[in-house]
Amino acid sequence: GAVVSQHPSWVICKSGTSVKIECRSLDFQATTMFWYRQFPKQSLMLMATSNEGSKATYEQGVEKDKFLINHASLTLSTLTVTSAHPEDSSFYICSASRLAGSTDTQYFGPGTRLTVL
Amino acid sequence: QKEVEQNSGPLSVPEGAIASLNCTYSDRGSQSFFWYRQYSGKSPELIMSIYSNGDKEDGRFTAQLNKASQYVSLLIRDSQPSDSATYLCAVNNGGTYKYIFGTGTRLKVLA
């Protein structure tokens, strides 16, 4: 159990276009979902925390108008990179938090590699 | 600033040896502790979680937690070349669902 999917797994787009990435928890309902970004050979950077039906909470320095997050249900969150530029090229990873008893555990999706030309 | 510290490595161990990965954290209120493995170019995958002081074993992996010393470690017995990856330590203080991640330790198991 605890499978998280992401779609697409990779995307190439032109500068100025918008890209939507989907994150789904396939076999559990996620209390919370998270979006991370990771540049080559660097550590995970949390971008935002997302709860179903409410606005996402963005980390300091992350532009909420550029990285739009929608959490439509307990199993689906989407990240839209608006007006993408080459510096937005990165590995975007979502995670979903599963609550079991009093403990919650984050399970990661496989990631989406975005390349902006 | 709540921090999680890990030695970036690389930690090199011969095949069959025990690999010992260490992590310290600054928030005494931390309640949940996790080890994730991340292969190059892939996303992190959960190896183990630990919540109380002492050892927790799962196959070749043992997590050790010492809250008094604010220290959590991961031992990998009988290390295999396939264990070569970056190991991320993550900590949660129970106040939110957010984790604080260390920067990871790169492990190389030499055949």
Side-chain angles (χ1 to χ4, degrees), chain A residues 32 34 36 38 43-44 46 59 91 93 103-110 113, chain B residues 34 36 38 41-44 46 51 88 92 96-99 101-103:
Chain A
T32 306
F34 303 85
Y36 295 84
Q38 189 173 39
S43 56
L44 284 175
L46 179 65
E59 294 299 301
F91 191 38
I93 315 171
T103 61
D104 76 276
T105 304
Q106 281 190 37
Y107 296 91
F108 284 86
R113 198 162 300 281
Chain B
F34 306 86
Y36 289 84
Q38 186 175 24
K42 303 293 185 183
S43 67
L46 179 70
Y51 305 99
L88 303 170
N92 177 262
T96 72
Y97 292 116
K98 203 163 73 168
Y99 291 3
F101 279 88
T103 53

PDB file of all heavy atoms in Angstrom, chain A residues 32 34 36 38 43-44 46 59 91 93 103-110 113, chain B residues 34 36 38 41-44 46 51 88 92 96-99 101-103:
ATOM      1  N   THR A  32      -2.578  15.344   3.828  1.00  0.00           N
ATOM      2  CA  THR A  32      -1.863  16.505   3.311  1.00  0.00           C
ATOM      3  C   THR A  32      -0.973  16.044   2.168  1.00  0.00           C
ATOM      4  O   THR A  32      -0.501  14.904   2.169  1.00  0.00           O
ATOM      5  CB  THR A  32      -0.978  17.126   4.423  1.00  0.00           C
ATOM      6  OG1 THR A  32      -1.798  17.406   5.563  1.00  0.00           O
ATOM      7  CG2 THR A  32      -0.318  18.422   3.971  1.00  0.00           C
ATOM      8  N   PHE A  34       2.393  17.425  -0.353  1.00  0.00           N
ATOM      9  CA  PHE A  34       3.506  18.356  -0.369  1.00  0.00           C
ATOM     10  C   PHE A  34       4.117  18.383  -1.761  1.00  0.00           C
ATOM     11  O   PHE A  34       4.143  17.374  -2.461  1.00  0.00           O
ATOM     12  CB  PHE A  34       4.587  17.922   0.628  1.00  0.00           C
ATOM     13  CG  PHE A  34       4.106  17.782   2.046  1.00  0.00           C
ATOM     14  CD1 PHE A  34       3.518  16.600   2.469  1.00  0.00           C
ATOM     15  CD2 PHE A  34       4.241  18.815   2.948  1.00  0.00           C
ATOM     16  CE1 PHE A  34       3.065  16.453   3.769  1.00  0.00           C
ATOM     17  CE2 PHE A  34       3.789  18.686   4.252  1.00  0.00           C
ATOM     18  CZ  PHE A  34       3.195  17.504   4.662  1.00  0.00           C
ATOM     19  N   TYR A  36       7.748  19.362  -3.672  1.00  0.00           N
ATOM     20  CA  TYR A  36       9.167  19.636  -3.503  1.00  0.00           C
ATOM     21  C   TYR A  36       9.787  19.900  -4.865  1.00  0.00           C
ATOM     22  O   TYR A  36       9.280  19.476  -5.902  1.00  0.00           O
ATOM     23  CB  TYR A  36       9.882  18.422  -2.882  1.00  0.00           C
ATOM     24  CG  TYR A  36       9.477  18.064  -1.471  1.00  0.00           C
ATOM     25  CD1 TYR A  36       8.350  17.269  -1.222  1.00  0.00           C
ATOM     26  CD2 TYR A  36      10.238  18.481  -0.379  1.00  0.00           C
ATOM     27  CE1 TYR A  36       7.989  16.921   0.071  1.00  0.00           C
ATOM     28  CE2 TYR A  36       9.887  18.137   0.920  1.00  0.00           C
ATOM     29  CZ  TYR A  36       8.762  17.355   1.129  1.00  0.00           C
ATOM     30  OH  TYR A  36       8.409  17.004   2.426  1.00  0.00           O
ATOM     31  N   GLN A  38      13.806  19.738  -6.658  1.00  0.00           N
ATOM     32  CA  GLN A  38      15.187  19.307  -6.414  1.00  0.00           C
ATOM     33  C   GLN A  38      16.022  19.586  -7.657  1.00  0.00           C
ATOM     34  O   GLN A  38      15.735  19.057  -8.736  1.00  0.00           O
ATOM     35  CB  GLN A  38      15.238  17.813  -6.057  1.00  0.00           C
ATOM     36  CG  GLN A  38      16.606  17.352  -5.594  1.00  0.00           C
ATOM     37  CD  GLN A  38      16.576  15.915  -5.101  1.00  0.00           C
ATOM     38  OE1 GLN A  38      15.901  15.072  -5.668  1.00  0.00           O
ATOM     39  NE2 GLN A  38      17.329  15.630  -4.024  1.00  0.00           N
ATOM     40  N   SER A  43      19.751  19.140  -2.364  1.00  0.00           N
ATOM     41  CA  SER A  43      18.781  18.481  -1.504  1.00  0.00           C
ATOM     42  C   SER A  43      17.353  18.878  -1.881  1.00  0.00           C
ATOM     43  O   SER A  43      17.130  19.806  -2.652  1.00  0.00           O
ATOM     44  CB  SER A  43      19.067  18.822  -0.042  1.00  0.00           C
ATOM     45  OG  SER A  43      19.080  20.220   0.145  1.00  0.00           O
ATOM     46  N   LEU A  44      16.416  18.144  -1.324  1.00  0.00           N
ATOM     47  CA  LEU A  44      14.993  18.452  -1.521  1.00  0.00           C
ATOM     48  C   LEU A  44      14.677  19.831  -0.964  1.00  0.00           C
ATOM     49  O   LEU A  44      15.117  20.187   0.110  1.00  0.00           O
ATOM     50  CB  LEU A  44      14.137  17.451  -0.748  1.00  0.00           C
ATOM     51  CG  LEU A  44      13.960  16.046  -1.278  1.00  0.00           C
ATOM     52  CD1 LEU A  44      13.176  15.234  -0.278  1.00  0.00           C
ATOM     53  CD2 LEU A  44      13.257  16.066  -2.623  1.00  0.00           C
ATOM     54  N   LEU A  46      11.327  22.006  -0.002  1.00  0.00           N
ATOM     55  CA  LEU A  46       9.866  22.051   0.105  1.00  0.00           C
ATOM     56  C   LEU A  46       9.362  23.354  -0.499  1.00  0.00           C
ATOM     57  O   LEU A  46       9.842  24.434  -0.154  1.00  0.00           O
ATOM     58  CB  LEU A  46       9.437  21.948   1.570  1.00  0.00           C
ATOM     59  CG  LEU A  46       7.937  22.013   1.837  1.00  0.00           C
ATOM     60  CD1 LEU A  46       7.213  20.813   1.233  1.00  0.00           C
ATOM     61  CD2 LEU A  46       7.658  22.096   3.343  1.00  0.00           C
ATOM     62  N   GLU A  59       6.215  27.963   1.076  1.00  0.00           N
ATOM     63  CA  GLU A  59       7.437  28.251   1.826  1.00  0.00           C
ATOM     64  C   GLU A  59       7.967  29.625   1.408  1.00  0.00           C
ATOM     65  O   GLU A  59       7.671  30.134   0.321  1.00  0.00           O
ATOM     66  CB  GLU A  59       8.489  27.183   1.573  1.00  0.00           C
ATOM     67  CG  GLU A  59       8.087  25.823   2.116  1.00  0.00           C
ATOM     68  CD  GLU A  59       7.875  25.796   3.616  1.00  0.00           C
ATOM     69  OE1 GLU A  59       8.829  26.112   4.356  1.00  0.00           O
ATOM     70  OE2 GLU A  59       6.741  25.469   4.040  1.00  0.00           O
ATOM     71  N   PHE A  91      13.501  18.975 -11.063  1.00  0.00           N
ATOM     72  CA  PHE A  91      12.810  17.726 -10.743  1.00  0.00           C
ATOM     73  C   PHE A  91      11.776  18.081  -9.675  1.00  0.00           C
ATOM     74  O   PHE A  91      12.121  18.503  -8.572  1.00  0.00           O
ATOM     75  CB  PHE A  91      13.843  16.725 -10.219  1.00  0.00           C
ATOM     76  CG  PHE A  91      13.360  15.309 -10.075  1.00  0.00           C
ATOM     77  CD1 PHE A  91      12.499  14.743 -11.006  1.00  0.00           C
ATOM     78  CD2 PHE A  91      13.803  14.517  -9.028  1.00  0.00           C
ATOM     79  CE1 PHE A  91      12.076  13.416 -10.886  1.00  0.00           C
ATOM     80  CE2 PHE A  91      13.383  13.195  -8.900  1.00  0.00           C
ATOM     81  CZ  PHE A  91      12.520  12.650  -9.831  1.00  0.00           C
ATOM     82  N   ILE A  93       8.793  16.890  -7.232  1.00  0.00           N
ATOM     83  CA  ILE A  93       8.347  15.671  -6.566  1.00  0.00           C
ATOM     84  C   ILE A  93       7.225  16.004  -5.597  1.00  0.00           C
ATOM     85  O   ILE A  93       7.338  16.961  -4.824  1.00  0.00           O
ATOM     86  CB  ILE A  93       9.495  15.003  -5.768  1.00  0.00           C
ATOM     87  CG1 ILE A  93      10.794  14.945  -6.583  1.00  0.00           C
ATOM     88  CG2 ILE A  93       9.096  13.602  -5.333  1.00  0.00           C
ATOM     89  CD1 ILE A  93      12.001  14.504  -5.775  1.00  0.00           C
ATOM     90  N   THR A 103       0.084   8.466  13.903  1.00  0.00           N
ATOM     91  CA  THR A 103       1.304   8.825  13.183  1.00  0.00           C
ATOM     92  C   THR A 103       1.002   9.019  11.713  1.00  0.00           C
ATOM     93  O   THR A 103       0.112   8.384  11.146  1.00  0.00           O
ATOM     94  CB  THR A 103       2.380   7.741  13.332  1.00  0.00           C
ATOM     95  OG1 THR A 103       1.894   6.524  12.776  1.00  0.00           O
ATOM     96  CG2 THR A 103       2.748   7.535  14.782  1.00  0.00           C
ATOM     97  N   ASP A 104       1.725   9.933  11.085  1.00  0.00           N
ATOM     98  CA  ASP A 104       1.577  10.122   9.655  1.00  0.00           C
ATOM     99  C   ASP A 104       2.916   9.933   8.985  1.00  0.00           C
ATOM    100  O   ASP A 104       3.962  10.198   9.585  1.00  0.00           O
ATOM    101  CB  ASP A 104       1.020  11.511   9.328  1.00  0.00           C
ATOM    102  CG  ASP A 104       2.053  12.603   9.470  1.00  0.00           C
ATOM    103  OD1 ASP A 104       2.238  13.067  10.595  1.00  0.00           O
ATOM    104  OD2 ASP A 104       2.702  12.954   8.466  1.00  0.00           O
ATOM    105  N   THR A 105       2.875   9.451   7.772  1.00  0.00           N
ATOM    106  CA  THR A 105       4.096   9.150   7.035  1.00  0.00           C
ATOM    107  C   THR A 105       3.955   9.695   5.622  1.00  0.00           C
ATOM    108  O   THR A 105       2.912   9.533   4.996  1.00  0.00           O
ATOM    109  CB  THR A 105       4.326   7.631   6.967  1.00  0.00           C
ATOM    110  OG1 THR A 105       4.348   7.110   8.301  1.00  0.00           O
ATOM    111  CG2 THR A 105       5.626   7.304   6.274  1.00  0.00           C
ATOM    112  N   GLN A 106       5.014  10.330   5.161  1.00  0.00           N
ATOM    113  CA  GLN A 106       5.009  10.848   3.795  1.00  0.00           C
ATOM    114  C   GLN A 106       5.519   9.802   2.823  1.00  0.00           C
ATOM    115  O   GLN A 106       6.569   9.207   3.039  1.00  0.00           O
ATOM    116  CB  GLN A 106       5.905  12.088   3.682  1.00  0.00           C
ATOM    117  CG  GLN A 106       5.273  13.358   4.200  1.00  0.00           C
ATOM    118  CD  GLN A 106       6.084  14.587   3.852  1.00  0.00           C
ATOM    119  OE1 GLN A 106       6.678  14.706   2.782  1.00  0.00           O
ATOM    120  NE2 GLN A 106       6.127  15.521   4.802  1.00  0.00           N
ATOM    121  N   TYR A 107       4.762   9.622   1.732  1.00  0.00           N
ATOM    122  CA  TYR A 107       5.158   8.740   0.646  1.00  0.00           C
ATOM    123  C   TYR A 107       5.304   9.582  -0.614  1.00  0.00           C
ATOM    124  O   TYR A 107       4.434  10.394  -0.923  1.00  0.00           O
ATOM    125  CB  TYR A 107       4.120   7.633   0.441  1.00  0.00           C
ATOM    126  CG  TYR A 107       4.024   6.715   1.639  1.00  0.00           C
ATOM    127  CD1 TYR A 107       3.129   6.978   2.659  1.00  0.00           C
ATOM    128  CD2 TYR A 107       4.857   5.600   1.743  1.00  0.00           C
ATOM    129  CE1 TYR A 107       3.049   6.144   3.774  1.00  0.00           C
ATOM    130  CE2 TYR A 107       4.784   4.765   2.850  1.00  0.00           C
ATOM    131  CZ  TYR A 107       3.882   5.049   3.862  1.00  0.00           C
ATOM    132  OH  TYR A 107       3.824   4.227   4.957  1.00  0.00           O
ATOM    133  N   PHE A 108       6.407   9.359  -1.311  1.00  0.00           N
ATOM    134  CA  PHE A 108       6.731  10.203  -2.449  1.00  0.00           C
ATOM    135  C   PHE A 108       6.243   9.611  -3.768  1.00  0.00           C
ATOM    136  O   PHE A 108       6.247   8.390  -3.964  1.00  0.00           O
ATOM    137  CB  PHE A 108       8.241  10.416  -2.541  1.00  0.00           C
ATOM    138  CG  PHE A 108       8.768  11.395  -1.524  1.00  0.00           C
ATOM    139  CD1 PHE A 108       9.102  10.978  -0.252  1.00  0.00           C
ATOM    140  CD2 PHE A 108       8.907  12.738  -1.844  1.00  0.00           C
ATOM    141  CE1 PHE A 108       9.576  11.876   0.698  1.00  0.00           C
ATOM    142  CE2 PHE A 108       9.381  13.645  -0.904  1.00  0.00           C
ATOM    143  CZ  PHE A 108       9.707  13.212   0.366  1.00  0.00           C
ATOM    144  N   GLY A 109       5.858  10.502  -4.666  1.00  0.00           N
ATOM    145  CA  GLY A 109       5.618  10.109  -6.041  1.00  0.00           C
ATOM    146  C   GLY A 109       6.939   9.939  -6.760  1.00  0.00           C
ATOM    147  O   GLY A 109       8.000  10.277  -6.206  1.00  0.00           O
ATOM    148  N   PRO A 110       6.907   9.449  -7.995  1.00  0.00           N
ATOM    149  CA  PRO A 110       8.138   9.182  -8.733  1.00  0.00           C
ATOM    150  C   PRO A 110       8.814  10.435  -9.273  1.00  0.00           C
ATOM    151  O   PRO A 110       9.951  10.371  -9.743  1.00  0.00           O
ATOM    152  CB  PRO A 110       7.682   8.269  -9.875  1.00  0.00           C
ATOM    153  CG  PRO A 110       6.241   8.583 -10.043  1.00  0.00           C
ATOM    154  CD  PRO A 110       5.721   8.947  -8.703  1.00  0.00           C
ATOM    155  N   ARG A 113      10.193  15.399 -14.233  1.00  0.00           N
ATOM    156  CA  ARG A 113      11.361  16.179 -14.667  1.00  0.00           C
ATOM    157  C   ARG A 113      10.904  17.192 -15.701  1.00  0.00           C
ATOM    158  O   ARG A 113      10.392  16.835 -16.749  1.00  0.00           O
ATOM    159  CB  ARG A 113      12.415  15.244 -15.258  1.00  0.00           C
ATOM    160  CG  ARG A 113      13.791  15.870 -15.326  1.00  0.00           C
ATOM    161  CD  ARG A 113      14.890  14.823 -15.503  1.00  0.00           C
ATOM    162  NE  ARG A 113      14.949  13.853 -14.433  1.00  0.00           N
ATOM    163  CZ  ARG A 113      15.506  14.062 -13.240  1.00  0.00           C
ATOM    164  NH1 ARG A 113      16.047  15.231 -12.955  1.00  0.00           N
ATOM    165  NH2 ARG A 113      15.524  13.109 -12.334  1.00  0.00           N
TER     166      ARG A 113
ATOM    167  N   PHE B  34      12.412   9.584  10.294  1.00  0.00           N
ATOM    168  CA  PHE B  34      12.285   8.755   9.104  1.00  0.00           C
ATOM    169  C   PHE B  34      13.614   8.682   8.366  1.00  0.00           C
ATOM    170  O   PHE B  34      14.383   9.648   8.352  1.00  0.00           O
ATOM    171  CB  PHE B  34      11.227   9.340   8.153  1.00  0.00           C
ATOM    172  CG  PHE B  34       9.893   9.566   8.806  1.00  0.00           C
ATOM    173  CD1 PHE B  34       9.627  10.739   9.493  1.00  0.00           C
ATOM    174  CD2 PHE B  34       8.912   8.596   8.747  1.00  0.00           C
ATOM    175  CE1 PHE B  34       8.410  10.949  10.112  1.00  0.00           C
ATOM    176  CE2 PHE B  34       7.692   8.792   9.361  1.00  0.00           C
ATOM    177  CZ  PHE B  34       7.433   9.969  10.047  1.00  0.00           C
ATOM    178  N   TYR B  36      14.863   7.852   4.449  1.00  0.00           N
ATOM    179  CA  TYR B  36      14.489   7.632   3.064  1.00  0.00           C
ATOM    180  C   TYR B  36      15.761   7.336   2.265  1.00  0.00           C
ATOM    181  O   TYR B  36      16.841   7.857   2.557  1.00  0.00           O
ATOM    182  CB  TYR B  36      13.827   8.875   2.459  1.00  0.00           C
ATOM    183  CG  TYR B  36      12.440   9.163   2.970  1.00  0.00           C
ATOM    184  CD1 TYR B  36      12.246   9.858   4.160  1.00  0.00           C
ATOM    185  CD2 TYR B  36      11.316   8.746   2.255  1.00  0.00           C
ATOM    186  CE1 TYR B  36      10.962  10.131   4.627  1.00  0.00           C
ATOM    187  CE2 TYR B  36      10.039   9.016   2.709  1.00  0.00           C
ATOM    188  CZ  TYR B  36       9.864   9.711   3.893  1.00  0.00           C
ATOM    189  OH  TYR B  36       8.603   9.969   4.349  1.00  0.00           O
ATOM    190  N   GLN B  38      17.336   7.566  -1.633  1.00  0.00           N
ATOM    191  CA  GLN B  38      17.108   8.190  -2.928  1.00  0.00           C
ATOM    192  C   GLN B  38      18.229   7.797  -3.875  1.00  0.00           C
ATOM    193  O   GLN B  38      19.387   8.170  -3.687  1.00  0.00           O
ATOM    194  CB  GLN B  38      17.020   9.723  -2.806  1.00  0.00           C
ATOM    195  CG  GLN B  38      16.636  10.395  -4.110  1.00  0.00           C
ATOM    196  CD  GLN B  38      16.434  11.899  -4.000  1.00  0.00           C
ATOM    197  OE1 GLN B  38      16.970  12.553  -3.102  1.00  0.00           O
ATOM    198  NE2 GLN B  38      15.657  12.462  -4.914  1.00  0.00           N
ATOM    199  N   GLY B  41      18.625  10.429  -9.610  1.00  0.00           N
ATOM    200  CA  GLY B  41      17.605  10.648 -10.633  1.00  0.00           C
ATOM    201  C   GLY B  41      16.219  10.142 -10.271  1.00  0.00           C
ATOM    202  O   GLY B  41      15.294  10.240 -11.084  1.00  0.00           O
ATOM    203  N   LYS B  42      16.076   9.594  -9.076  1.00  0.00           N
ATOM    204  CA  LYS B  42      14.780   9.059  -8.638  1.00  0.00           C
ATOM    205  C   LYS B  42      14.276   9.830  -7.427  1.00  0.00           C
ATOM    206  O   LYS B  42      14.983  10.632  -6.844  1.00  0.00           O
ATOM    207  CB  LYS B  42      14.921   7.579  -8.269  1.00  0.00           C
ATOM    208  CG  LYS B  42      15.456   6.700  -9.390  1.00  0.00           C
ATOM    209  CD  LYS B  42      14.480   6.595 -10.531  1.00  0.00           C
ATOM    210  CE  LYS B  42      14.971   5.620 -11.581  1.00  0.00           C
ATOM    211  NZ  LYS B  42      14.045   5.549 -12.745  1.00  0.00           N
ATOM    212  N   SER B  43      13.048   9.558  -7.062  1.00  0.00           N
ATOM    213  CA  SER B  43      12.471  10.212  -5.891  1.00  0.00           C
ATOM    214  C   SER B  43      12.785   9.395  -4.635  1.00  0.00           C
ATOM    215  O   SER B  43      13.142   8.218  -4.725  1.00  0.00           O
ATOM    216  CB  SER B  43      10.956  10.374  -6.068  1.00  0.00           C
ATOM    217  OG  SER B  43      10.333   9.117  -6.064  1.00  0.00           O
ATOM    218  N   PRO B  44      12.641  10.004  -3.451  1.00  0.00           N
ATOM    219  CA  PRO B  44      12.940   9.266  -2.215  1.00  0.00           C
ATOM    220  C   PRO B  44      11.924   8.146  -1.959  1.00  0.00           C
ATOM    221  O   PRO B  44      10.743   8.286  -2.274  1.00  0.00           O
ATOM    222  CB  PRO B  44      12.828  10.346  -1.129  1.00  0.00           C
ATOM    223  CG  PRO B  44      12.988  11.640  -1.847  1.00  0.00           C
ATOM    224  CD  PRO B  44      12.386  11.422  -3.188  1.00  0.00           C
ATOM    225  N   LEU B  46      10.679   5.481   1.243  1.00  0.00           N
ATOM    226  CA  LEU B  46      10.746   5.280   2.686  1.00  0.00           C
ATOM    227  C   LEU B  46      11.421   3.947   3.010  1.00  0.00           C
ATOM    228  O   LEU B  46      11.076   2.910   2.446  1.00  0.00           O
ATOM    229  CB  LEU B  46       9.330   5.301   3.273  1.00  0.00           C
ATOM    230  CG  LEU B  46       9.232   5.074   4.778  1.00  0.00           C
ATOM    231  CD1 LEU B  46       9.797   6.285   5.533  1.00  0.00           C
ATOM    232  CD2 LEU B  46       7.793   4.828   5.173  1.00  0.00           C
ATOM    233  N   TYR B  51       9.858   6.084  16.299  1.00  0.00           N
ATOM    234  CA  TYR B  51       9.168   7.082  17.101  1.00  0.00           C
ATOM    235  C   TYR B  51       9.618   7.095  18.563  1.00  0.00           C
ATOM    236  O   TYR B  51       9.438   8.092  19.264  1.00  0.00           O
ATOM    237  CB  TYR B  51       7.656   6.843  17.058  1.00  0.00           C
ATOM    238  CG  TYR B  51       7.112   6.803  15.658  1.00  0.00           C
ATOM    239  CD1 TYR B  51       6.865   5.597  15.026  1.00  0.00           C
ATOM    240  CD2 TYR B  51       6.858   7.977  14.954  1.00  0.00           C
ATOM    241  CE1 TYR B  51       6.393   5.552  13.724  1.00  0.00           C
ATOM    242  CE2 TYR B  51       6.381   7.942  13.648  1.00  0.00           C
ATOM    243  CZ  TYR B  51       6.150   6.728  13.046  1.00  0.00           C
ATOM    244  OH  TYR B  51       5.673   6.689  11.763  1.00  0.00           O
ATOM    245  N   LEU B  88      18.403  10.006   3.201  1.00  0.00           N
ATOM    246  CA  LEU B  88      17.869  11.237   3.767  1.00  0.00           C
ATOM    247  C   LEU B  88      17.237  10.965   5.121  1.00  0.00           C
ATOM    248  O   LEU B  88      16.437  10.033   5.261  1.00  0.00           O
ATOM    249  CB  LEU B  88      16.800  11.828   2.847  1.00  0.00           C
ATOM    250  CG  LEU B  88      17.209  12.147   1.412  1.00  0.00           C
ATOM    251  CD1 LEU B  88      15.990  12.496   0.582  1.00  0.00           C
ATOM    252  CD2 LEU B  88      18.184  13.305   1.401  1.00  0.00           C
ATOM    253  N   ASN B  92       9.946  15.124  12.145  1.00  0.00           N
ATOM    254  CA  ASN B  92       8.680  15.845  12.285  1.00  0.00           C
ATOM    255  C   ASN B  92       8.437  16.138  13.762  1.00  0.00           C
ATOM    256  O   ASN B  92       8.625  15.267  14.606  1.00  0.00           O
ATOM    257  CB  ASN B  92       7.537  15.004  11.708  1.00  0.00           C
ATOM    258  CG  ASN B  92       6.191  15.652  11.895  1.00  0.00           C
ATOM    259  OD1 ASN B  92       5.458  15.313  12.822  1.00  0.00           O
ATOM    260  ND2 ASN B  92       5.857  16.585  11.036  1.00  0.00           N
ATOM    261  N   THR B  96       2.915  20.062  12.858  1.00  0.00           N
ATOM    262  CA  THR B  96       2.356  20.082  11.509  1.00  0.00           C
ATOM    263  C   THR B  96       2.725  18.764  10.857  1.00  0.00           C
ATOM    264  O   THR B  96       3.458  17.961  11.429  1.00  0.00           O
ATOM    265  CB  THR B  96       2.939  21.233  10.666  1.00  0.00           C
ATOM    266  OG1 THR B  96       4.301  20.917  10.342  1.00  0.00           O
ATOM    267  CG2 THR B  96       2.881  22.551  11.421  1.00  0.00           C
ATOM    268  N   TYR B  97       2.259  18.571   9.657  1.00  0.00           N
ATOM    269  CA  TYR B  97       2.635  17.357   8.934  1.00  0.00           C
ATOM    270  C   TYR B  97       3.947  17.534   8.174  1.00  0.00           C
ATOM    271  O   TYR B  97       4.437  16.621   7.549  1.00  0.00           O
ATOM    272  CB  TYR B  97       1.532  16.977   7.941  1.00  0.00           C
ATOM    273  CG  TYR B  97       0.267  16.520   8.624  1.00  0.00           C
ATOM    274  CD1 TYR B  97      -0.917  17.249   8.485  1.00  0.00           C
ATOM    275  CD2 TYR B  97       0.252  15.373   9.398  1.00  0.00           C
ATOM    276  CE1 TYR B  97      -2.079  16.834   9.110  1.00  0.00           C
ATOM    277  CE2 TYR B  97      -0.905  14.949  10.031  1.00  0.00           C
ATOM    278  CZ  TYR B  97      -2.074  15.690   9.881  1.00  0.00           C
ATOM    279  OH  TYR B  97      -3.227  15.282  10.500  1.00  0.00           O
ATOM    280  N   LYS B  98       4.529  18.728   8.261  1.00  0.00           N
ATOM    281  CA  LYS B  98       5.742  19.028   7.509  1.00  0.00           C
ATOM    282  C   LYS B  98       6.945  18.307   8.095  1.00  0.00           C
ATOM    283  O   LYS B  98       7.095  18.200   9.315  1.00  0.00           O
ATOM    284  CB  LYS B  98       5.958  20.546   7.547  1.00  0.00           C
ATOM    285  CG  LYS B  98       6.793  21.094   6.454  1.00  0.00           C
ATOM    286  CD  LYS B  98       6.603  22.608   6.340  1.00  0.00           C
ATOM    287  CE  LYS B  98       7.258  23.370   7.454  1.00  0.00           C
ATOM    288  NZ  LYS B  98       7.288  24.820   7.137  1.00  0.00           N
ATOM    289  N   TYR B  99       7.812  17.810   7.226  1.00  0.00           N
ATOM    290  CA  TYR B  99       9.051  17.194   7.665  1.00  0.00           C
ATOM    291  C   TYR B  99      10.203  18.167   7.441  1.00  0.00           C
ATOM    292  O   TYR B  99      10.206  18.945   6.493  1.00  0.00           O
ATOM    293  CB  TYR B  99       9.376  15.933   6.866  1.00  0.00           C
ATOM    294  CG  TYR B  99       8.482  14.742   7.096  1.00  0.00           C
ATOM    295  CD1 TYR B  99       7.382  14.791   7.944  1.00  0.00           C
ATOM    296  CD2 TYR B  99       8.744  13.550   6.438  1.00  0.00           C
ATOM    297  CE1 TYR B  99       6.585  13.686   8.122  1.00  0.00           C
ATOM    298  CE2 TYR B  99       7.941  12.428   6.612  1.00  0.00           C
ATOM    299  CZ  TYR B  99       6.862  12.506   7.464  1.00  0.00           C
ATOM    300  OH  TYR B  99       6.067  11.409   7.638  1.00  0.00           O
ATOM    301  N   PHE B 101      13.989  17.899   6.374  1.00  0.00           N
ATOM    302  CA  PHE B 101      14.901  16.921   5.793  1.00  0.00           C
ATOM    303  C   PHE B 101      16.341  17.366   5.976  1.00  0.00           C
ATOM    304  O   PHE B 101      16.664  18.555   5.878  1.00  0.00           O
ATOM    305  CB  PHE B 101      14.646  16.766   4.288  1.00  0.00           C
ATOM    306  CG  PHE B 101      13.502  15.858   3.961  1.00  0.00           C
ATOM    307  CD1 PHE B 101      12.212  16.355   3.868  1.00  0.00           C
ATOM    308  CD2 PHE B 101      13.715  14.505   3.745  1.00  0.00           C
ATOM    309  CE1 PHE B 101      11.150  15.510   3.576  1.00  0.00           C
ATOM    310  CE2 PHE B 101      12.671  13.653   3.449  1.00  0.00           C
ATOM    311  CZ  PHE B 101      11.380  14.149   3.361  1.00  0.00           C
ATOM    312  N   GLY B 102      17.225  16.394   6.224  1.00  0.00           N
ATOM    313  CA  GLY B 102      18.647  16.657   6.131  1.00  0.00           C
ATOM    314  C   GLY B 102      19.044  16.700   4.665  1.00  0.00           C
ATOM    315  O   GLY B 102      18.248  16.383   3.779  1.00  0.00           O
ATOM    316  N   THR B 103      20.280  17.085   4.428  1.00  0.00           N
ATOM    317  CA  THR B 103      20.753  17.191   3.043  1.00  0.00           C
ATOM    318  C   THR B 103      21.166  15.838   2.473  1.00  0.00           C
ATOM    319  O   THR B 103      21.423  15.726   1.278  1.00  0.00           O
ATOM    320  CB  THR B 103      21.934  18.158   2.940  1.00  0.00           C
ATOM    321  OG1 THR B 103      22.928  17.759   3.889  1.00  0.00           O
ATOM    322  CG2 THR B 103      21.491  19.587   3.258  1.00  0.00           C
TER     323      THR B 103
END
